[in-house]
């Protein structure tokens, strides 16, 4: 398990990449996880009122769980944006790249997470 408190896309992505590579995830799945992580980080910065969200990476057996915690109590919802909207598709992307995602309210803020399962 890794905990990061970082405002850096690069540091968070590298930590996730290292964790997944070490246990043998395929490169295409690692890329999907990195993209999903970046979406959650961007949302935490943009909507979560948190300059340095906490990233947690847990890899146990064939399950990877990545969470990003911020200080906003507002629970995100996946919505269908207008066709010409320049933003608003991040959670749809996370939903499409991962096996499941969700939100856990915290005493202060929330934790938005996704999970991936490895083929056994």
């Amino acid at each position: 398990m890794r905990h990061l408190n970082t405002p850096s896309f690069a540091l968070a992505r590298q930590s996730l990449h290292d964790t997944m590579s070490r246990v043998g995830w395929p490169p295409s799945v690692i890329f999907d996880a990195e993209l999903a992580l970046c979406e959650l980080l961007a949302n935490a910065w943009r909507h979560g009122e948190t300059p340095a969200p906490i990233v947690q990476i847990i890899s146990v057996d064939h399950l990877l769980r990545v969470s990003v915690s911020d200080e906003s109590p507002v629970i995100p919802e996946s919505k269908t944006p207008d066709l010409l909207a320049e933003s608003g598709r991040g959670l749809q992307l996370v939903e499409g790249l991962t096996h499941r995602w969700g939100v856990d309210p915290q005493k202060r803020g929330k934790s938005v997470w996704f999970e991936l399962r490895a083929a056994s």
Side-chain angles (χ1 to χ4, degrees):
M1 175 171 40
R2 288 186 172 194
H3 289 275
L4 302 170
N5 186 337
T6 179
S8 168
F9 274 122
L11 181 60
R13 285 182 68 192
Q14 188 63 52
S15 182
L16 179 60
H17 188 290
D18 292 349
T19 298
M20 293 180 77
S21 293
R22 197 169 28 256
V23 295
W25 289 80
S28 62
V29 177
I30 294 172
F31 179 81
D32 289 350
E34 289 173 339
L35 184 53
L37 170 60
C38 287
E39 285 298 329
L40 295 187
L41 278 172
N43 284 348
W45 289 322
R46 186 173 194 181
H47 307 290
E49 306 165 6
T50 308
I54 297 172
V55 177
Q56 183 180 51
I57 301 166
I58 301 171
S59 179
V60 178
D61 295 326
H62 300 290
L63 179 70
L64 174 80
R65 183 177 175 120
V66 177
S67 63
V68 177
S69 299
D70 64 46
E71 297 179 8
S72 172
V74 178
I75 304 297
E77 298 177 32
S78 182
K79 300 176 184 174
T80 303
D82 293 334
L83 185 59
L84 299 177
E86 294 181 6
S87 64
R89 294 172 182 82
L91 290 177
Q92 288 179 334
L93 184 62
V94 171
E95 191 173 323
L97 293 171
T98 66
H99 288 107
R100 67 185 196 131
W101 72 278
V103 182
D104 295 329
Q106 305 292 321
K107 186 174 183 179
R108 180 175 177 177
K110 66 183 170 300
S111 180
V112 183
W113 52 267
F114 67 82
E115 292 179 348
L116 290 169
R117 289 184 302 275
S120 35

